[in-house]
Each structure stands twice: as C-alpha cells, then as structure tokens.
Amino acid sequence: MAKKTSSLRFQPSGGSKAQQVPVGKKLKLHIERQANDGRGIGFNEGRTWFVSGALQGEQVEARVLAAHGKVVEARVERVLEPSPARRTEACAHARACGGCSLQHMPHTDQLALKQRMLEEQLSRLAAIQPTQWAAPLVGPELGYRRRARVAVRWDPAARHLAVGFRASASQDIIDIEQCPVLVQPLQPILQALPSVLRSLEKPQAIGHVELFSGDSNAVLIRHTSALSEADLARLSSFCSEQAAQLWLQGKDDPQPYVADQQLNYRLEQYNLMLAYRPGDFVQVNQPVNDAMVAQALDWLVPQANERVLDLFCGLGNFALPLAQRVRELVAVEGVDVMVQRAKHNAQMNGLNNTHFYQADLSKPLSEADWAVGGFDAVLLDPPRDGALQVVKQMKALNAGRVLYVSCNPATLARDSAELQQQGYRLERAGILDMFPQTGHVEAMALFVRQ
C-alpha cells in the first residue's frame, strides 16, 4: 500500500525565516544618505545597507561583508555614478586597507560629518546643546600619525611574510610599503621594513611591529619566540641605518635593545618633555594634541591660586601644562605604571606642585584622601567607556568648572546628562580632528556650575 502524503506544510510558530544575504554577494545600490560613521546608506528589499566607501547620491556596486537580520554591512566594489564631491584617495590601498575609511570624502565634509555626529549624540542622548559651538580643532589631513602598528603574518605554505595593515572588515593583511597618513620620519622605515623582516632566519617569530616618532624614532619588534643572534644583529643594523631605536618585546614588557635608551615627545609651547615607553598611551597626532592642550587651558582658565584635578591623567599630557599655572595640581590615573611615569615626567620638568595617585575611578571617591578639600576646576580625559561614576560624584568635588575631553561622543552625551542633573551647564563644545580620513570623533566640552 502506498504511503499517504499530506499537502500540509508545517512552519515554526514565528513564521518563515527570511533568507540571509550571503557574504560576497554583489548588488547595485543607490546611496540615499550618509551614516554618522561615514558609510553610505542604501535600501533594498526591506534591508538597510551600510556601505563603506560610498557617498550620498552615488550609484555603486556593493559587496556584502556581513548581514544581521535587516542590516547588511558592505563595501564599494565599483562606483557606477560618482558624487560630484568624491575625490581621488591619496593612498592606492585606501579602499582595501582598514586604516582609513574616508579618504574619498573632502576634508570639509569629514569635519561636517563629525560635527553632526557630536550634535546628534548630545541632542538624542542628553537633550542638551552647548551655549556656544567651537570651531573644529584641525591639523594636517595627511602625514600626521606619529605611531603605527604594522601587522605581520607568516604563511608556511607559501613561505611568505605578509607585512602591512589589516584589511577592512577582515583579518587579511594588505602588503603596504607606503602610508600617506604617517609622519615623514616613519615613511622610510615602513618602506624598508618588509625587506629586512623577510631576510630574517626565523621570520615566523615576528608577532607584529610598532613604529614611533618623537624626539627619536623607534621600532618595537614583538616576537613570539626567541630571536637568534644573527637576526638581532640584522634588526639592530637596520635600526642604526634608519636612525631609530630598537625595542624588543617577548613575554614581558618592551625593553630597549640598547640599555637606558628613552623615548620622549615635547610640548614645545610649554617647554615640557614627556618620557614614554612602547605600550603607553600617546596621542598619535602631535599638531592636534598641541592645539588640544592649548585649547584646554584657554577654556578652563586655570588661575595661580587654584587647586585643580586631572582625572585619567596618563603620562601627564594635560597635568604638566596645568601645573605650570596653578597653586596645586592633583592627578589621578588607574594604571600604577602610568602614575609612576607621570611622576617621573613632573620631576624631570622641575614641577614640584604636583601630586599623583593611583585609583580605580569607577569606585566612589568618598574615601580617597586626594579628593578631600575639593577643587576649583577638574579636567578629565577618560577612555571610550567614559567616566559615569566620576561625574556622578562631581558635585562633591565642588568644582566650578569641568573640562571633559572625549574620544566617544555617545559616552560624552551620557555623562553630560549626568553633569546637567548636578547643576552644570554645557557652556562650550567642539570636535577635535585627531584622526583625519577616518570616522573617529574626539571632542572637548566645558561645563560651568550654575
């Protein structure tokens, strides 16, 4: 007897699941507007496409990188009808490399995009706008990065060492020997680096390389196993030819190949020199960093009789210039090694009115001895997570002025709402173009107690 079949088709209670857009699929799209991070936005069959490398008004062929429900992440494969605003990228690798995402966009448009992002975050998350918008703080469009991390990967099958930067939305490495956003002193080092690394007896021992430029140039070699004497000699000779210090890092902290070598950068306007080591946080853009410090002092207006607090002080980038102008400077940092570095920098520059402390700034300040007595003004420069716990306690610090330097407009907006609740008015705000050619936004905001 033949088995009966049913014409009924059963589906899960939630209905049929929409088929996901496959990675690698190409589609022609019209770009209707620009996202806050600079990607173009297009729509197709109920899905929103975020397309890197696309400008508003363009017709493009986009290639899918990832898809999540109704959101598709893609990048431009071909520009079919370009926008009049599109410009030729300064770097031949710009569309593949993950370092720069906005080289095709005029710099004035990049600044407008970043300004709009800051305005929208403050309005949407905090329902707040400053009394005064400051002009964007800008520097050179290219040739600004004074440090960079170079990716390295050994392919045992091809016996090839890839040396360059990570591809956009990928772990692939783009072989790069020139990078227009690096400062000029690092250009010849980057250009010659692949050749010397590939000449090593054991190139597979190299994990990654970092380049630094300050008073001296430096090359940090991160190695996953011991380097032979011959390879160390090659690397040392290479760095000598490039007039750069050689630093090595295995399992422990970075160490100079030649003992007692030191890296420094200067804040020329204040006749200050700050020592640092590979791994320490140093702003990558010296011209904008110099302008940022100057603007911070201009906005905060520190007075000779005041006691000022610098939170998340790092190496002392803001603390040392502030200390030159006030009676007492208290600086706090969560990482003890950075506290020691900042103390050393203050002593090296002859500043005796500074006090540095290590503290977990996500915890209450009520038991902190350094917080007793209050402050006339506070400067804070937190990481991307922001400083919500600190700003919740700002009223207790009794500061009349608070200067907030942010690398994340979303957490700045969140913390601004809290400061407003505590009676502070957002007096002034503006963007800092620390990373031209990217969608990354930094900002500065001044709050005054009402």
Side-chain angles (χ1 to χ4, degrees):
M1 183 178 178
K3 185 177 179 181
K4 292 183 178 179
T5 60
S6 171
S7 61
L8 294 176
R9 294 176 180 266
F10 293 96
Q11 296 179 348
S13 60
S16 60
K17 185 177 181 180
Q19 186 175 0
Q20 201 59 271
V21 181
V23 172
K25 176 182 173 65
K26 297 179 183 179
L27 183 73
K28 293 181 181 179
L29 276 177
H30 173 69
I31 304 303
E32 297 193 13
R33 61 176 187 267
Q34 219 75 43
N36 277 340
D37 62 3
R39 291 182 294 176
I41 298 178
F43 302 94
N44 179 262
E45 296 183 350
R47 292 184 171 90
T48 303
W49 289 58
F50 291 86
V51 185
S52 62
L55 294 178
Q56 182 176 340
E58 291 185 330
Q59 293 283 346
V60 302
E61 181 182 65
R63 182 177 181 273
V64 177
L65 301 175
H68 319 280
K70 296 292 186 181
V71 175
V72 179
E73 298 180 23
R75 72 180 178 203
V76 167
E77 285 285 294
R78 289 189 300 153
V79 179
L80 305 175
E81 295 181 18
S83 163
R86 175 174 287 274
R87 66 177 181 178
T88 302
E89 295 91 337
C91 177
H93 305 286
R95 297 191 187 184
C97 176
C100 295
S101 58
L102 299 180
Q103 280 195 19
H104 60 290
M105 182 182 291
H107 191 225
T108 53
D109 291 354
Q110 294 181 31
L111 295 175
L113 182 77
K114 295 175 183 184
Q115 178 71 28
R116 185 167 67 248
M117 180 192 287
L118 178 60
E119 291 180 15
E120 288 181 0
Q121 294 284 10
L122 288 171
S123 176
R124 182 170 59 87
L125 298 180
I128 187 174
Q129 291 292 313
T131 303
Q132 177 187 356
W133 280 109
L137 206 59
V138 300
E141 286 188 61
L142 301 170
Y144 68 85
R145 284 197 71 104
R146 60 178 170 182
R147 61 182 176 90
R149 178 168 174 160
V150 182
V152 175
R153 179 183 294 151
W154 173 253
D155 184 340
R159 299 196 62 78
H160 172 74
L161 188 73
V163 182
F165 297 119
R166 300 281 181 191
S168 176
S170 170
Q171 290 299 307
D172 294 340
I173 295 174
I174 308 296
D175 283 333
I176 291 177
E177 295 182 0
Q178 289 186 332
C179 177
V181 299
L182 287 188
V183 294
Q184 187 55 45
L186 295 182
Q187 297 284 359
I189 299 177
L190 180 65
Q191 188 171 2
L193 184 65
S195 178
V196 70
L197 294 181
R198 289 166 185 156
S199 74
L200 299 179
E201 292 178 348
K202 195 177 179 182
Q204 58 268 39
I206 307 301
H208 68 259
V209 178
E210 294 183 53
L211 308 179
F212 304 87
S213 180
D215 279 9
S216 302
N217 297 325
V219 178
L220 170 68
I221 304 292
R222 173 74 173 90
H223 53 92
T224 56
S225 60
L227 299 175
S228 68
E229 290 299 323
D231 283 351
L232 287 172
R234 284 189 182 93
L235 293 169
S236 177
S237 177
F238 167 74
C239 287
S240 294
E241 292 169 2
Q242 298 293 334
Q245 298 179 16
L246 173 61
W247 287 66
L248 301 168
Q249 184 179 13
K251 294 180 180 178
D252 300 319
D253 293 335
Q255 297 295 330
Y257 184 63
V258 176
D260 299 327
Q261 283 189 327
Q262 181 172 284
L263 295 173
N264 308 295
Y265 73 89
R266 294 180 181 274
L267 294 172
E268 294 286 359
Q269 185 176 349
Y270 311 101
N271 194 29
L272 293 168
M273 181 171 67
L274 282 76
Y276 71 97
R277 295 171 73 90
D280 294 349
F281 176 76
V282 176
Q283 294 285 6
V284 303
N285 190 325
Q286 179 186 338
V288 173
N289 182 64
D290 291 347
M292 176 179 70
V293 173
Q295 181 170 283
L297 295 179
D298 180 54
W299 288 16
L300 202 56
V301 197
Q303 301 297 308
N305 64 338
E306 290 186 327
R307 185 176 190 239
V308 174
L309 175 64
D310 179 9
L311 298 173
F312 309 93
C313 69
L315 294 163
N317 190 57
F318 290 106
L320 272 57
L322 278 169
Q324 292 179 328
R325 300 193 176 197
V326 301
R327 171 177 57 85
E328 181 183 5
L329 190 284
V330 177
V332 185
E333 168 61 45
V335 181
D336 187 61
V337 68
M338 297 299 286
V339 174
Q340 302 309 315
R341 205 92 78 225
K343 283 183 179 179
H344 168 75
N345 285 332
Q347 293 167 359
M348 184 170 62
N349 288 280
L351 295 169
N352 301 314
N353 61 336
T354 57
H355 307 280
F356 294 90
Y357 299 90
Q358 187 277 328
D360 183 351
L361 292 173
S362 66
K363 300 292 175 58
L365 307 180
S366 56
E367 297 180 3
D369 292 340
W370 52 262
V372 175
F375 300 91
D376 297 286
V378 175
L379 184 149
L380 60 157
D381 183 13
R384 289 189 61 80
D385 289 344
L388 184 59
Q389 294 307 314
V390 166
V391 299
K392 282 182 175 179
Q393 304 168 78
M394 195 61 67
K395 192 173 183 179
L397 297 176
N398 200 36
R401 307 172 323 271
V402 176
L403 189 80
Y404 193 130
V405 181
S406 168
C407 59
N408 185 348
T411 52
L412 171 61
R414 179 201 65 195
D415 295 350
S416 297
E418 177 61 34
L419 285 167
Q420 186 173 239
Q421 287 289 323
Q422 294 192 45
Y424 288 88
R425 179 182 69 251
L426 178 55
E427 187 71 20
R428 194 181 299 179
I431 63 169
L432 316 172
D433 192 30
M434 192 67 72
F435 298 91
Q437 317 305 334
T438 78
H440 184 78
V441 182
E442 302 219 353
M444 184 180 291
L446 174 67
F447 298 84
V448 177
R449 190 173 60 199
Q450 298 185 60

Tab-separated table of all heavy atoms in Angstrom, residues 321-364:
chain	number	residue	atom	x	y	z
A	321	PRO	N	51.241	70.881	31.813
A	321	PRO	CA	50.945	72.276	31.462
A	321	PRO	C	50.044	72.964	32.487
A	321	PRO	O	50.218	74.160	32.765
A	321	PRO	CB	50.255	72.157	30.099
A	321	PRO	CG	50.749	70.873	29.530
A	321	PRO	CD	50.904	69.961	30.700
A	322	LEU	N	49.073	72.224	33.047
A	322	LEU	CA	48.221	72.804	34.089
A	322	LEU	C	49.038	73.179	35.321
A	322	LEU	O	48.836	74.245	35.915
A	322	LEU	CB	47.129	71.804	34.486
A	322	LEU	CG	45.896	71.720	33.601
A	322	LEU	CD1	45.053	70.506	33.963
A	322	LEU	CD2	45.058	72.993	33.710
A	323	ALA	N	49.971	72.301	35.694
A	323	ALA	CA	50.760	72.533	36.907
A	323	ALA	C	51.588	73.809	36.810
A	323	ALA	O	51.897	74.435	37.839
A	323	ALA	CB	51.672	71.337	37.171
A	324	GLN	N	51.943	74.213	35.607
A	324	GLN	CA	52.709	75.448	35.431
A	324	GLN	C	51.890	76.688	35.784
A	324	GLN	O	52.466	77.756	35.987
A	324	GLN	CB	53.205	75.556	33.989
A	324	GLN	CG	54.257	74.523	33.597
A	324	GLN	CD	54.673	74.671	32.145
A	324	GLN	OE1	53.882	75.071	31.292
A	324	GLN	NE2	55.920	74.347	31.849
A	325	ARG	N	50.559	76.553	35.853
A	325	ARG	CA	49.693	77.731	36.009
A	325	ARG	C	48.946	77.788	37.330
A	325	ARG	O	48.288	78.791	37.605
A	325	ARG	CB	48.681	77.763	34.864
A	325	ARG	CG	49.328	77.836	33.492
A	325	ARG	CD	48.327	78.180	32.425
A	325	ARG	NE	48.966	78.352	31.127
A	325	ARG	CZ	48.416	78.963	30.088
A	325	ARG	NH1	47.208	79.469	30.199
A	325	ARG	NH2	49.058	79.075	28.948
A	326	VAL	N	48.970	76.719	38.132
A	326	VAL	CA	48.128	76.676	39.324
A	326	VAL	C	48.971	76.483	40.584
A	326	VAL	O	50.141	76.133	40.529
A	326	VAL	CB	47.071	75.550	39.214
A	326	VAL	CG1	46.186	75.762	37.998
A	326	VAL	CG2	47.729	74.172	39.169
A	327	ARG	N	48.304	76.696	41.719
A	327	ARG	CA	48.984	76.510	43.014
A	327	ARG	C	49.275	75.043	43.276
A	327	ARG	O	50.353	74.675	43.731
A	327	ARG	CB	48.101	77.084	44.134
A	327	ARG	CG	48.590	76.775	45.544
A	327	ARG	CD	47.711	77.447	46.577
A	327	ARG	NE	46.309	77.074	46.451
A	327	ARG	CZ	45.761	75.977	46.996
A	327	ARG	NH1	46.504	75.129	47.698
A	327	ARG	NH2	44.474	75.730	46.850
A	328	GLU	N	48.269	74.170	42.993
A	328	GLU	CA	48.431	72.740	43.264
A	328	GLU	C	47.692	71.938	42.200
A	328	GLU	O	46.558	72.252	41.853
A	328	GLU	CB	47.870	72.386	44.646
A	328	GLU	CG	48.029	70.921	45.013
A	328	GLU	CD	47.403	70.590	46.366
A	328	GLU	OE1	46.760	71.491	46.969
A	328	GLU	OE2	47.521	69.436	46.805
A	329	LEU	N	48.359	70.919	41.705
A	329	LEU	CA	47.773	70.039	40.693
A	329	LEU	C	47.737	68.626	41.248
A	329	LEU	O	48.770	68.062	41.609
A	329	LEU	CB	48.592	70.098	39.411
A	329	LEU	CG	48.049	69.448	38.113
A	329	LEU	CD1	48.170	67.929	38.123
A	329	LEU	CD2	46.602	69.851	37.868
A	330	VAL	N	46.535	68.062	41.343
A	330	VAL	CA	46.350	66.671	41.756
A	330	VAL	C	45.953	65.871	40.523
A	330	VAL	O	45.020	66.254	39.803
A	330	VAL	CB	45.261	66.547	42.851
A	330	VAL	CG1	45.024	65.076	43.208
A	330	VAL	CG2	45.671	67.346	44.074
A	331	ALA	N	46.660	64.780	40.256
A	331	ALA	CA	46.401	63.976	39.066
A	331	ALA	C	46.202	62.524	39.461
A	331	ALA	O	46.937	61.993	40.294
A	331	ALA	CB	47.558	64.104	38.078
A	332	VAL	N	45.199	61.883	38.844
A	332	VAL	CA	44.817	60.520	39.218
A	332	VAL	C	44.734	59.668	37.962
A	332	VAL	O	44.224	60.095	36.920
A	332	VAL	CB	43.458	60.506	39.952
A	332	VAL	CG1	43.127	59.101	40.437
A	332	VAL	CG2	43.472	61.489	41.114
A	333	GLU	N	45.227	58.442	38.068
A	333	GLU	CA	45.237	57.503	36.950
A	333	GLU	C	45.008	56.092	37.503
A	333	GLU	O	45.431	55.775	38.609
A	333	GLU	CB	46.596	57.585	36.224
A	333	GLU	CG	46.888	56.490	35.218
A	333	GLU	CD	45.882	56.458	34.080
A	333	GLU	OE1	45.540	57.519	33.529
A	333	GLU	OE2	45.428	55.337	33.758
A	334	GLY	N	44.326	55.253	36.714
A	334	GLY	CA	44.008	53.913	37.180
A	334	GLY	C	45.149	52.927	37.093
A	334	GLY	O	45.181	51.938	37.832
A	335	VAL	N	46.114	53.155	36.200
A	335	VAL	CA	47.220	52.216	35.982
A	335	VAL	C	48.448	52.727	36.723
A	335	VAL	O	48.954	53.817	36.428
A	335	VAL	CB	47.519	52.066	34.473
A	335	VAL	CG1	48.645	51.066	34.247
A	335	VAL	CG2	46.260	51.638	33.734
A	336	ASP	N	48.950	51.931	37.661
A	336	ASP	CA	50.025	52.397	38.525
A	336	ASP	C	51.294	52.730	37.752
A	336	ASP	O	51.983	53.712	38.065
A	336	ASP	CB	50.338	51.347	39.594
A	336	ASP	CG	51.341	51.866	40.611
A	336	ASP	OD1	51.032	52.877	41.283
A	336	ASP	OD2	52.441	51.283	40.712
A	337	VAL	N	51.634	51.941	36.719
A	337	VAL	CA	52.860	52.211	35.970
A	337	VAL	C	52.790	53.572	35.286
A	337	VAL	O	53.805	54.278	35.160
A	337	VAL	CB	53.146	51.083	34.943
A	337	VAL	CG1	52.108	51.076	33.820
A	337	VAL	CG2	54.548	51.218	34.359
A	338	MET	N	51.591	53.986	34.872
A	338	MET	CA	51.437	55.311	34.270
A	338	MET	C	51.555	56.410	35.324
A	338	MET	O	52.049	57.503	35.041
A	338	MET	CB	50.104	55.405	33.544
A	338	MET	CG	49.961	54.429	32.381
A	338	MET	SD	51.203	54.693	31.094
A	338	MET	CE	50.573	56.183	30.331
A	339	VAL	N	51.099	56.120	36.534
A	339	VAL	CA	51.267	57.080	37.631
A	339	VAL	C	52.750	57.330	37.870
A	339	VAL	O	53.193	58.486	38.023
A	339	VAL	CB	50.590	56.563	38.918
A	339	VAL	CG1	50.890	57.485	40.091
A	339	VAL	CG2	49.085	56.443	38.724
A	340	GLN	N	53.532	56.249	37.886
A	340	GLN	CA	54.966	56.400	38.100
A	340	GLN	C	55.614	57.165	36.951
A	340	GLN	O	56.526	57.972	37.152
A	340	GLN	CB	55.618	55.019	38.270
A	340	GLN	CG	55.063	54.197	39.412
A	340	GLN	CD	55.027	54.972	40.725
A	340	GLN	OE1	55.986	55.657	41.091
A	340	GLN	NE2	53.913	54.878	41.447
A	341	ARG	N	55.141	56.903	35.743
A	341	ARG	CA	55.683	57.598	34.581
A	341	ARG	C	55.366	59.103	34.672
A	341	ARG	O	56.200	59.955	34.369
A	341	ARG	CB	55.089	57.011	33.305
A	341	ARG	CG	55.953	57.192	32.087
A	341	ARG	CD	56.888	56.019	31.840
A	341	ARG	NE	56.161	54.904	31.238
A	341	ARG	CZ	56.306	53.633	31.650
A	341	ARG	NH1	57.091	53.335	32.658
A	341	ARG	NH2	55.656	52.655	31.041
A	342	ALA	N	54.153	59.427	35.082
A	342	ALA	CA	53.761	60.831	35.204
A	342	ALA	C	54.566	61.532	36.301
A	342	ALA	O	54.992	62.688	36.140
A	342	ALA	CB	52.263	60.929	35.484
A	343	LYS	N	54.776	60.841	37.431
A	343	LYS	CA	55.610	61.411	38.496
A	343	LYS	C	57.006	61.727	37.971
A	343	LYS	O	57.564	62.793	38.244
A	343	LYS	CB	55.714	60.424	39.665
A	343	LYS	CG	54.508	60.355	40.565
A	343	LYS	CD	54.782	59.391	41.712
A	343	LYS	CE	53.595	59.305	42.663
A	343	LYS	NZ	53.857	58.339	43.770
A	344	HIS	N	57.572	60.764	37.236
A	344	HIS	CA	58.906	60.957	36.668
A	344	HIS	C	58.922	62.165	35.737
A	344	HIS	O	59.864	62.981	35.767
A	344	HIS	CB	59.337	59.699	35.917
A	344	HIS	CG	60.558	59.886	35.068
A	344	HIS	ND1	61.828	59.977	35.603
A	344	HIS	CD2	60.707	60.018	33.718
A	344	HIS	CE1	62.704	60.151	34.629
A	344	HIS	NE2	62.052	60.179	33.478
A	345	ASN	N	57.887	62.313	34.910
A	345	ASN	CA	57.842	63.428	33.976
A	345	ASN	C	57.742	64.768	34.696
A	345	ASN	O	58.349	65.764	34.283
A	345	ASN	CB	56.675	63.256	33.008
A	345	ASN	CG	56.949	62.194	31.951
A	345	ASN	OD1	58.090	61.950	31.590
A	345	ASN	ND2	55.902	61.562	31.460
A	346	ALA	N	56.971	64.802	35.786
A	346	ALA	CA	56.870	66.043	36.563
A	346	ALA	C	58.222	66.402	37.177
A	346	ALA	O	58.656	67.565	37.136
A	346	ALA	CB	55.810	65.890	37.646
A	347	GLN	N	58.908	65.412	37.749
A	347	GLN	CA	60.215	65.661	38.352
A	347	GLN	C	61.230	66.091	37.298
A	347	GLN	O	62.022	67.015	37.526
A	347	GLN	CB	60.693	64.401	39.073
A	347	GLN	CG	59.855	64.039	40.287
A	347	GLN	CD	60.130	62.638	40.796
A	347	GLN	OE1	60.953	61.893	40.231
A	347	GLN	NE2	59.442	62.251	41.865
A	348	MET	N	61.193	65.433	36.130
A	348	MET	CA	62.133	65.735	35.049
A	348	MET	C	61.972	67.171	34.576
A	348	MET	O	62.939	67.807	34.125
A	348	MET	CB	61.908	64.746	33.894
A	348	MET	CG	62.870	64.887	32.741
A	348	MET	SD	62.716	63.508	31.566
A	348	MET	CE	61.008	63.701	31.018
A	349	ASN	N	60.740	67.712	34.682
A	349	ASN	CA	60.472	69.079	34.237
A	349	ASN	C	60.458	70.093	35.385
A	349	ASN	O	60.055	71.243	35.194
A	349	ASN	CB	59.143	69.121	33.486
A	349	ASN	CG	59.234	68.473	32.115
A	349	ASN	OD1	59.713	69.083	31.163
A	349	ASN	ND2	58.774	67.226	32.006
A	350	GLY	N	60.891	69.659	36.572
A	350	GLY	CA	61.038	70.574	37.695
A	350	GLY	C	59.738	71.098	38.267
A	350	GLY	O	59.692	72.216	38.796
A	351	LEU	N	58.672	70.298	38.183
A	351	LEU	CA	57.375	70.717	38.718
A	351	LEU	C	57.181	70.089	40.097
A	351	LEU	O	57.044	68.869	40.229
A	351	LEU	CB	56.256	70.290	37.761
A	351	LEU	CG	56.297	70.984	36.391
A	351	LEU	CD1	55.344	70.312	35.419
A	351	LEU	CD2	55.973	72.468	36.529
A	352	ASN	N	57.120	70.935	41.117
A	352	ASN	CA	57.070	70.440	42.494
A	352	ASN	C	55.703	70.624	43.148
A	352	ASN	O	55.534	70.290	44.324
A	352	ASN	CB	58.130	71.163	43.340
A	352	ASN	CG	59.528	70.953	42.784
A	352	ASN	OD1	59.911	69.834	42.438
A	352	ASN	ND2	60.296	72.045	42.672
A	353	ASN	N	54.735	71.150	42.411
A	353	ASN	CA	53.400	71.376	42.978
A	353	ASN	C	52.402	70.320	42.503
A	353	ASN	O	51.192	70.553	42.489
A	353	ASN	CB	52.887	72.763	42.595
A	353	ASN	CG	52.764	72.937	41.082
A	353	ASN	OD1	53.447	72.249	40.323
A	353	ASN	ND2	51.901	73.855	40.647
A	354	THR	N	52.912	69.161	42.105
A	354	THR	CA	52.063	68.091	41.563
A	354	THR	C	51.998	66.920	42.537
A	354	THR	O	52.983	66.606	43.225
A	354	THR	CB	52.614	67.588	40.218
A	354	THR	OG1	53.960	67.137	40.401
A	354	THR	CG2	52.603	68.689	39.181
A	355	HIS	N	50.840	66.266	42.565
A	355	HIS	CA	50.650	65.072	43.391
A	355	HIS	C	49.918	64.036	42.537
A	355	HIS	O	48.816	64.312	42.034
A	355	HIS	CB	49.834	65.401	44.639
A	355	HIS	CG	50.391	66.544	45.429
A	355	HIS	ND1	51.442	66.417	46.298
A	355	HIS	CD2	50.046	67.872	45.439
A	355	HIS	CE1	51.723	67.594	46.833
A	355	HIS	NE2	50.887	68.499	46.329
A	356	PHE	N	50.527	62.877	42.374
A	356	PHE	CA	49.963	61.842	41.502
A	356	PHE	C	49.516	60.646	42.348
A	356	PHE	O	50.218	60.218	43.265
A	356	PHE	CB	51.000	61.389	40.470
A	356	PHE	CG	51.360	62.463	39.486
A	356	PHE	CD1	52.411	63.334	39.745
A	356	PHE	CD2	50.644	62.620	38.311
A	356	PHE	CE1	52.741	64.344	38.846
A	356	PHE	CE2	50.967	63.619	37.404
A	356	PHE	CZ	52.018	64.476	37.676
A	357	TYR	N	48.334	60.101	41.975
A	357	TYR	CA	47.755	58.993	42.728
A	357	TYR	C	47.213	57.933	41.781
A	357	TYR	O	46.736	58.251	40.680
A	357	TYR	CB	46.601	59.479	43.622
A	357	TYR	CG	47.001	60.494	44.660
A	357	TYR	CD1	46.963	61.862	44.355
A	357	TYR	CD2	47.419	60.103	45.927
A	357	TYR	CE1	47.333	62.807	45.306
A	357	TYR	CE2	47.785	61.051	46.880
A	357	TYR	CZ	47.743	62.397	46.561
A	357	TYR	OH	48.104	63.330	47.495
A	358	GLN	N	47.268	56.685	42.231
A	358	GLN	CA	46.621	55.581	41.515
A	358	GLN	C	45.285	55.320	42.186
A	358	GLN	O	45.195	55.245	43.421
A	358	GLN	CB	47.493	54.325	41.555
A	358	GLN	CG	46.994	53.169	40.691
A	358	GLN	CD	45.916	52.324	41.371
A	358	GLN	OE1	45.920	52.184	42.589
A	358	GLN	NE2	45.000	51.776	40.582
A	359	ALA	N	44.218	55.206	41.387
A	359	ALA	CA	42.890	54.940	41.944
A	359	ALA	C	41.995	54.349	40.876
A	359	ALA	O	42.138	54.659	39.690
A	359	ALA	CB	42.272	56.224	42.493
A	360	ASP	N	41.088	53.497	41.306
A	360	ASP	CA	40.054	52.948	40.427
A	360	ASP	C	38.940	53.986	40.335
A	360	ASP	O	38.166	54.168	41.277
A	360	ASP	CB	39.537	51.629	40.993
A	360	ASP	CG	38.493	50.969	40.087
A	360	ASP	OD1	38.048	51.617	39.117
A	360	ASP	OD2	38.133	49.809	40.354
A	361	LEU	N	38.861	54.653	39.209
A	361	LEU	CA	37.920	55.766	39.070
A	361	LEU	C	36.497	55.314	38.767
A	361	LEU	O	35.627	56.150	38.516
A	361	LEU	CB	38.426	56.730	37.998
A	361	LEU	CG	39.713	57.471	38.387
A	361	LEU	CD1	40.263	58.272	37.224
A	361	LEU	CD2	39.487	58.372	39.596
A	362	SER	N	36.261	54.006	38.793
A	362	SER	CA	34.890	53.504	38.696
A	362	SER	C	34.291	53.286	40.082
A	362	SER	O	33.138	52.875	40.202
A	362	SER	CB	34.862	52.184	37.924
A	362	SER	OG	35.534	51.156	38.644
A	363	LYS	N	35.060	53.584	41.134
A	363	LYS	CA	34.607	53.386	42.505
A	363	LYS	C	34.321	54.739	43.173
A	363	LYS	O	34.808	55.775	42.710
A	363	LYS	CB	35.680	52.639	43.305
A	363	LYS	CG	36.017	51.260	42.747
A	363	LYS	CD	34.852	50.302	42.914
A	363	LYS	CE	35.126	48.946	42.256
A	363	LYS	NZ	36.305	48.272	42.767
A	364	PRO	N	33.549	54.757	44.283
A	364	PRO	CA	33.260	56.015	44.985
A	364	PRO	C	34.535	56.721	45.440
A	364	PRO	O	35.526	56.071	45.790
A	364	PRO	CB	32.418	55.559	46.183
A	364	PRO	CG	31.805	54.266	45.737
A	364	PRO	CD	32.837	53.609	44.870
